[in-house]
Amino acid sequence: MSNNLAFNMEKIKKEKSGVDVLADIYFYAVFGEKMSLEDLERFKWYGLYTQDEQQNYFKLRIPLSMGELNLIQLKTLSLISKKYSNNTLIFSDEQKIELTNLKISDLPEIFKLLQEINLNTYFEAGHTVRRVLTCPVNGIDHTQLLDVEPLANKLNETFIGNKNFENLPNKLQIAISGYEEGCDVRFTPDVSFNATKDEKDKIVFAVKILDKIIGYITPAQVIKTAIAIANIYKDFGDRENSRRSTFEYLVNNWGFNKFSDILNSTVNYKIQRNINKSGNIIPRKPRLGINKSKIEGQSYIGCRVKSSTISSTNIDTLSTLLEKYEANRVKITHKGNIIILNVPTNSAENLAKELEKINFNPFI
């Protein structure tokens, strides 16, 4: 193969789309043949990576929409880990679950189990628009300006699995937040939409490219703006040089003003360069510990996770505790911790004490 990775990747993508390889994964699972280097690259579109040169073991990364897992999903992931993996789940700071030490022959059954609980792995990686990042306590924190879940879901529906956006020059990461300061992630997303209020106290979104605000739009314009940005990157991003293929390189090469001008020319509304903003923004607070939810009668509990690698035994105990205290939704944070979203307030203290015993510690 050529030493020019970008050239190779463009050739690999041209030969076969990364979203069309599920049948190939099943072929290798049935016949056990060694995978080509090209297929190993394509399989990343489905979150599948080899762990060794001999291809004896594989890891599977499962991206979570909104970073959320319900109780049934948590139990099923634990079951998969015990039956097919190594009795552990890895909680990543990218809001993904990782299973390791998998055999390729088990992949069809694993994919089937994931599908049954409404989880999938496509567009986990590759040159795609990734699942949108959101804030873990979206919709339940009273300091938030807007619940962005409907917009986040629409963004995911627009991009994930869409063949129009499966062959970008490189990845594109979008974030959306109901807070003016955005979500506390460990890296700068390529594109962010952060809610704020104008002088008339109406919600608008700041459009941030990398870490710079280039203008303001209404909530109704978020999806169209995201599509326009993705299309600009698809059409103008560098496909000849791997080091220049990123969205960041395109923006820095053009400059923010040129990027803004091109973006404005592709939409049928004006992205406002500046607005007079309201000064009544409530700063958000730490998420660990017991916190009062916006939902009447409920609290949420933020727990620091000692290690990102969690045993199936601990996952099972966590599931049992959630059932005992009538909670059934958790989120993985951008730092690999967890937040239990819907805990009845009258039992939150008791649940927190029991969580501490199994190293999901709310009291740090």
Side-chain angles (χ1 to χ4, degrees), residues 326-342:
E326 300 179 334
N328 60 10
R329 294 166 58 222
V330 304
K331 281 199 180 183
I332 298 177
T333 75
H334 300 296
K335 295 180 180 177
N337 295 315
I338 70 162
I339 295 176
I340 302 171
L341 300 178
N342 56 343

Side-chain angles (χ1 to χ4, degrees), residues 180 192-196 204-208 213-217:
E180 185 174 41
S192 300
F193 300 101
N194 295 345
T196 187
V204 293
F205 278 90
V207 181
K208 293 184 79 174
I213 296 175
I214 64 166
Y216 297 86
I217 57 175

Side-chain angles (χ1 to χ4, degrees), residues 23-243:
D24 297 332
I25 295 174
Y26 282 24
F27 173 86
Y28 286 114
V30 172
F31 293 101
E33 295 183 10
K34 192 167 184 179
M35 301 175 188
S36 68
L37 294 177
E38 292 84 356
D39 277 341
L40 285 174
E41 286 298 323
R42 296 185 191 103
F43 291 169
K44 292 176 183 178
W45 266 248
Y46 272 83
L48 185 64
Y49 302 78
T50 184
Q51 289 181 214
D52 56 82
E53 290 186 7
Q54 293 73 33
Q55 300 179 12
N56 292 322
Y57 294 101
F58 293 80
K59 60 184 176 184
L60 188 68
R61 292 176 181 161
I62 306 162
L64 306 177
S65 293
M66 309 279 292
E68 185 171 325
L69 287 169
N70 62 39
L71 188 55
I72 293 173
Q73 290 169 334
L74 203 59
K75 288 181 174 181
T76 302
L77 287 169
S78 177
L79 181 151
I80 292 171
S81 174
K82 286 182 282 192
K83 190 171 182 180
Y84 301 111
S85 183
N86 59 350
N87 290 307
T88 59
L89 296 174
I90 298 173
F91 285 17
S92 84
D93 55 12
E94 295 179 325
Q95 295 186 305
K96 298 175 184 179
I97 297 289
E98 188 171 306
L99 293 160
T100 58
N101 289 38
L102 304 174
K103 294 183 178 178
I104 192 65
S105 58
D106 293 325
L107 259 295
E109 182 61 25
I110 292 170
F111 282 138
K112 177 176 176 290
L113 289 169
L114 292 176
Q115 185 178 29
E116 288 174 354
I117 57 172
N118 200 30
L119 292 177
N120 62 69
T121 62
Y122 52 82
F123 276 41
E124 185 278 324
H127 295 178
T128 64
V129 180
R130 305 296 171 80
R131 281 162 182 76
V132 65
L133 299 174
T134 58
C135 303
V137 292
N138 178 76
I140 60 174
D141 176 26
H142 67 88
T143 67
Q144 186 180 38
L145 295 175
L146 182 70
D147 180 355
V148 299
E149 183 170 353
L151 283 170
N153 287 336
K154 186 63 177 174
L155 284 166
N156 283 331
E157 289 166 10
T158 298
F159 291 115
I160 305 305
N162 186 338
K163 283 199 169 187
N164 290 324
F165 300 104
E166 53 84 24
N167 182 12
L168 303 180
N170 210 310
K171 70 170 184 170
L172 184 69
Q173 182 67 71
I174 297 173
I176 187 165
S177 172
Y179 302 95
E180 185 174 41
E181 65 270 40
C183 301
D184 184 18
V185 298
R186 287 179 180 249
F187 59 92
T188 301
D190 297 310
V191 183
S192 300
F193 300 101
N194 295 345
T196 187
K197 286 186 176 182
D198 65 17
E199 60 182 348
K200 296 179 181 178
D201 218 32
K202 288 185 178 180
I203 297 289
V204 293
F205 278 90
V207 181
K208 293 184 79 174
I209 300 300
L210 303 179
D211 209 21
K212 180 179 176 63
I213 296 175
I214 64 166
Y216 297 86
I217 57 175
T218 68
Q221 294 166 343
V222 167
I223 306 302
K224 289 182 180 179
T225 304
I227 292 171
I229 291 170
N231 278 325
I232 289 170
Y233 180 41
K234 181 173 70 172
D235 293 341
F236 297 103
D238 193 317
R239 294 178 182 270
E240 298 299 321
N241 186 314
S242 61
R243 294 182 180 179

Side-chain angles (χ1 to χ4, degrees), residues 1-13 37-38 41 44 127 169-170 238-245:
M1 294 178 72
S2 163
N3 290 327
N4 189 328
L5 178 60
F7 172 79
N8 284 336
M9 283 305 301
E10 290 305 311
K11 181 175 181 292
I12 287 169
K13 292 186 292 181
L37 294 177
E38 292 84 356
E41 286 298 323
K44 292 176 183 178
H127 295 178
N170 210 310
D238 193 317
R239 294 178 182 270
E240 298 299 321
N241 186 314
S242 61
R243 294 182 180 179
R244 298 178 179 178
S245 66

Side-chain angles (χ1 to χ4, degrees), residues 311-326:
S311 71
S312 298
T313 301
N314 265 20
I315 296 295
D316 291 342
T317 306
L318 173 62
S319 299
T320 300
L321 288 175
L322 294 182
E323 284 186 304
K324 177 180 176 181
Y325 289 99
E326 300 179 334

